[in-house]
Amino acid sequence: MNVEDIRKDFPILDQQVNGKELVYLDTSATSQTPAPVIDAMTAYYKEYNSNVHRGVHTLGTKATDGYEKARMKVRSFINAKRYEEIIFTRGTTAAINLVARSFGDMVIEPGDEIVVTEMEHHANIVPWQELAKRRQAELKFIPMEADGTLTMENVKAAIGEKTKIVAITHVSNVLGTINDIKEIAKVARKNDAYISVDGAQAVPHMSVDVQDLDVDFYAFSGHKMLGPTGIGVLYGKSELLDDMEPIEYGGDMIDFVDLRTSTWTDLPVKFEAGTPMIAEAIGLAHAINYIEEIGPQAILEYEQELVNYALERMRTVEGIEIYGPDKRAGLITFNLTDVHPHDLATALDSEGIAVRAGHHCAQPLMKWLGVSSTARASFYIYNTKEEIDVFIEGLKRTKEFFSYEF
């Protein structure tokens, strides 16, 4: 892959921030958007802006065609068995909440266990906490190793005959830990449990085959994979989705409405109440096209090259503490001794370097790490080793500044 050619497709990168060339290292929060995605969404608004599924006129037909072709593109991208298994949502958070509220309320009985981990994003903890409260179930955590990884011994010990749902991230947004979802799913199956996966940090960066993983539900977001904000995907096995009740009502999701009763239409529209994210779905499809043109394997290999280079360089910075395993996805969470992460991020921003600072929507994990917050640098296809060098020099200058005795 030619990174310089790729960078030309991202107009936002061609700017200065605070008088310095922008170095964007915050993809784990939101990736940047290439011109083909922007152009596709602009074309929708300029040429065929219309609602879907509701009209026979030309613009409505073209909009519906674009929207449903996007669903087929997603189905192919993650190798779902049927297009009906692809539900468009507002994002990963909305997708997980749909599973917890609809499927969870359907299958969880008092005394059942819901198994999660301490590395989860709040979006993959809070919905299960609330489900456990509603259904008098128990929330159980798989213990982590010191480097933030899971062992299969601990997985097998945590998932038992009382387990009904396993909810787990594919890739940690803080540690970069890559969980072995296929093996964890096998353990869930042996215990007659279901498995729901937060794939927000995985789908943009590696090949994901939901049939091979044998997961029941898998959620991810468009804005972390070169697409627009405001759209996500819930994959669910059709036999489970068929039995689930919608949690939002109105619009195309109805079949028949009487004064006191209503019935629902078929999958996937049953879970897509109201006017859907039409332009966003079209943008997501073009983002997938962009990823496929480069190749998920090429993206994974390049990110591994970047993150390994960054780890090597960061370890030369005095007073740095890096969290997570050596083998990780393309992100690094860290702290500098005596420098608050927000001060660090502010100092780096003054040099045009964008990193994330805070608890990263993972307060239980911060507690496990023994810190209140951290800084995080994350990498993608448009980043370079030269940018990492700029980042390292920025870290060193920040450390020197805050170590100076006035």
Side-chain angles (χ1 to χ4, degrees), residues 99-100 102-109 112-116 124 128 131 140 142 155 158-168 181-198 213-218 235-244:
V99 177
S102 179
F103 183 74
D105 281 0
M106 182 176 73
V107 302
I108 292 292
E109 300 290 343
D112 285 344
E113 293 176 349
I114 304 165
V115 175
V116 297
N124 205 34
W128 307 111
L131 173 60
K140 193 173 180 181
I142 304 171
V155 169
I159 300 172
E161 60 181 15
K162 291 185 178 181
T163 304
K164 188 61 66 72
I165 296 175
V166 178
I168 190 167
I181 297 301
K182 188 173 182 178
E183 290 304 310
I184 295 171
K186 289 179 182 178
V187 178
R189 293 276 168 263
K190 289 180 181 178
N191 288 278
D192 296 323
Y194 302 96
I195 181 167
S196 175
V197 180
D198 172 359
L213 294 175
D214 193 23
V215 295
D216 296 299
F217 301 99
Y218 197 100
Y235 157 80
K237 289 184 175 179
S238 58
E239 60 269 25
L240 301 180
L241 293 172
D242 274 333
D243 290 338
M244 290 164 54

Side-chain angles (χ1 to χ4, degrees), residues 41-68 252 274-282:
M41 295 179 69
T42 300
Y44 164 77
Y45 283 116
K46 281 185 172 183
E47 299 170 16
Y48 58 104
N49 180 21
S50 181
N51 218 320
V52 297
H53 305 147
R54 301 178 186 180
V56 295
H57 60 74
T58 299
L59 295 188
T61 300
K62 190 172 182 180
T64 298
D65 185 57
Y67 183 72
E68 292 303 335
D252 280 354
T275 296
M277 298 72 66
I278 305 166
E280 290 81 0
I282 292 166

Side-chain angles (χ1 to χ4, degrees), residues 19-20 73 76 84 90 151 192 203 227 315 330 338 372 386:
K20 305 287 186 178
K73 171 60 70 172
S76 174
E84 294 94 341
R90 297 189 310 277
T151 66
D192 296 323
V203 171
R315 286 171 178 144
D338 298 327
S372 61
E386 289 75 17

